[in-house]
């Protein structure tokens, strides 16, 4: 089994700032963490590898400092790490991100065919939940979203059974491999990793690819140029010119409160009484 886990280094959600001109997230000077949902995907992939054997490759797209998150994934137990980093990726939305990651996965698969791709349900700095399905669409993989557990894998028949959270209940689905899986939060307890893994991660070389190295030929599909998302500025609502009306009534007498409210409404809307009588007569 060869499993690719897509992870993202994200700003600490308590300290996210947005650039006032480009409306993109400002990452300079902000503490970063591995996207929490991606950790559950990594744990699911490692559990499959432990049971069925194989390799887990972690893949990330981001600035050079994203290598820290990849080393963290290696310390938990991943076998290999690949970082996509290039100035052409700056400002990518979900469409451009899925294009770059899918192209990189295709190159990874040229050395060893990929059976499954895992992503977190979403990232805490975007919350769109679009990148995983976008990768699946570009690769032609079956997609299993909002998965809470991977039940069984039949390597002979090339199938997987998962439990997927759905509105009003849980779905048990069987899919053919290869497939894309996006994991929910709390789907498993994320392992801490062994001392041997931590030492291996400290010595390991993170494979770094530029856009060209990853096999991306059409740069216009990357970064801001390949991102059609329109960010609309949301303005705070203006205060109303009309002031609120204070209705004085006894707090201990609901009937008196209701009567006072009705009297105030009729006084503010002179035609309301006639409309109600006309409606009752029909």
């Amino acid at each position: 089994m060869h499993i690719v886990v897509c992870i993202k280094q994200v700003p600490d959600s308590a300290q996210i700032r947005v650039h006032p001109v480009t409306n993109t997230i400002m990452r300079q000077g902000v503490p970063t963490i591995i996207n929490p949902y991606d950790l559950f995907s990594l744990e699911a992939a490692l559990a499959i590898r432990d049971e069925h054997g194989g390799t887990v490759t972690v893949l990330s797209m981001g600035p050079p400092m994203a290598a820290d998150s990849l080393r963290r994934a290696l310390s938990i137990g991943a076998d290999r790490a690949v970082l996509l980093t290039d100035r052409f990726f700056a400002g990518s939305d979900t469409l451009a991100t899925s294009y770059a990651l899918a192209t990189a996965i295709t190159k990874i698969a040229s050395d060893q065919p990929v059976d499954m791709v895992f992503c977190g349900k979403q990232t805490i700095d975007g919350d769109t939940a679009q990148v995983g399905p976008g990768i699946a669409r570009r690769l032609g993989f079956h997609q299993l979203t909002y998965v809470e557990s991977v039940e069984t894998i039949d390597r002979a028949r090339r199938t997987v059974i998962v439990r997927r959270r759905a509105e009003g209940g849980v779905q048990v689905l069987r899919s053919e491999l290869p497939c894309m899986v996006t994991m929910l939060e709390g789907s498993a307890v994320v392992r801490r990793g062994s001392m041997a893994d931590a030492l291996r991660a400290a010595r390991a070389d993170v494979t770094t690819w530029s856009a060209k190295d990853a096999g991306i030929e059409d740069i216009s599909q990357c970064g801001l140029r390949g991102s059609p998302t329109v960010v609309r500025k949301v303005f705070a609502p203006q205060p109303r010119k009309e002031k609120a009306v204070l209705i004085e009534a006894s707090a201990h007498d609901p009937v008196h409160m209701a009567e006072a409210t009705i009297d105030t409404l009729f006084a503010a809307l002179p035609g309301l009484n006639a409309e109600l009588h006309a409606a009752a007569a029909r």
Side-chain angles (χ1 to χ4, degrees):
M1 295 285 293
H2 185 196
I3 304 171
V4 174
V5 181
C6 297
I7 69 172
K8 185 179 181 182
Q9 186 177 66
V10 296
D12 189 324
S13 58
Q15 302 187 46
I16 288 180
R17 296 177 296 162
V18 178
H19 195 283
V21 177
T22 63
N23 290 312
T24 58
I25 292 177
M26 298 175 61
R27 302 179 187 275
Q28 292 79 10
V30 180
T32 57
I33 58 174
I34 296 179
N35 179 51
Y37 295 104
D38 297 343
L39 290 173
F40 296 112
S41 293
L42 178 59
E43 175 58 36
L46 294 174
I48 293 173
R49 183 203 61 187
D50 293 346
E51 181 177 355
H52 298 279
T55 304
V56 172
T57 300
V58 285
L59 170 66
S60 183
M61 185 183 83
M65 66 179 183
D68 295 338
S69 291
L70 289 171
R71 290 190 183 279
R72 166 63 176 152
L74 290 172
S75 72
I76 295 175
D79 301 292
R80 179 190 178 197
V82 177
L83 173 63
L84 291 180
T85 183
D86 199 309
R87 61 185 179 86
F88 293 113
F89 298 143
S92 294
D93 68 356
T94 55
L95 186 68
T97 299
S98 65
Y99 169 72
L101 291 175
T103 304
I105 292 171
T106 300
K107 179 173 181 178
I108 291 171
S110 65
D111 295 328
Q112 182 181 0
V114 175
D115 300 290
M116 301 179 75
V117 177
F118 278 83
C119 288
K121 177 190 70 171
Q122 62 194 56
T123 58
I124 62 173
D125 63 344
D127 288 343
T128 64
Q130 294 174 351
V131 172
I135 293 173
R137 178 67 180 84
R138 293 181 184 278
L139 294 177
F141 283 16
H142 301 287
Q143 56 178 293
L144 302 168
T145 57
Y146 295 91
V147 172
E148 62 179 25
S149 65
V150 178
E151 298 295 297
T152 59
I153 292 179
D154 189 330
R155 297 181 61 185
R157 296 184 179 181
R158 301 277 298 164
T159 59
V160 59
I161 297 177
V162 302
R163 290 173 59 88
R164 177 184 187 272
R165 189 180 303 170
E167 185 175 355
V170 175
Q171 296 175 337
V172 179
L173 303 177
R174 175 187 285 120
S175 171
E176 295 179 348
L177 299 178
C179 69
M180 153 67 71
V181 179
T182 65
M183 297 296 296
L184 291 173
E185 70 282 3
S187 53
V189 177
V190 180
R191 65 189 68 187
R192 295 179 60 88
S194 65
M195 181 61 70
D197 286 328
L199 294 174
R200 178 177 58 86
R203 297 190 298 264
D205 292 326
V206 174
T207 302
T208 302
W209 287 346
S210 65
K212 182 178 180 180
D213 295 332
I216 296 175
E217 299 178 355
D218 188 359
I219 299 300
S220 66
Q221 295 191 52
C222 299
L224 286 174
R225 293 174 60 191
S227 302
T229 300
V230 177
V231 179
R232 300 183 183 273
K233 291 186 177 180
V234 179
F235 296 94
Q238 298 298 316
R240 296 180 59 179
K241 295 181 180 180
E242 302 85 359
K243 300 299 182 181
V245 177
L246 176 62
I247 301 175
E248 296 184 1
S250 174
H252 302 288
D253 187 354
V255 175
H256 184 221
M257 293 175 62
E259 290 176 347
T261 302
I262 293 172
D263 290 341
T264 303
L265 287 174
F266 280 128
L269 303 170
L272 180 58
N273 190 31
E275 292 178 10
L276 291 175
H277 281 292
R282 287 198 294 267

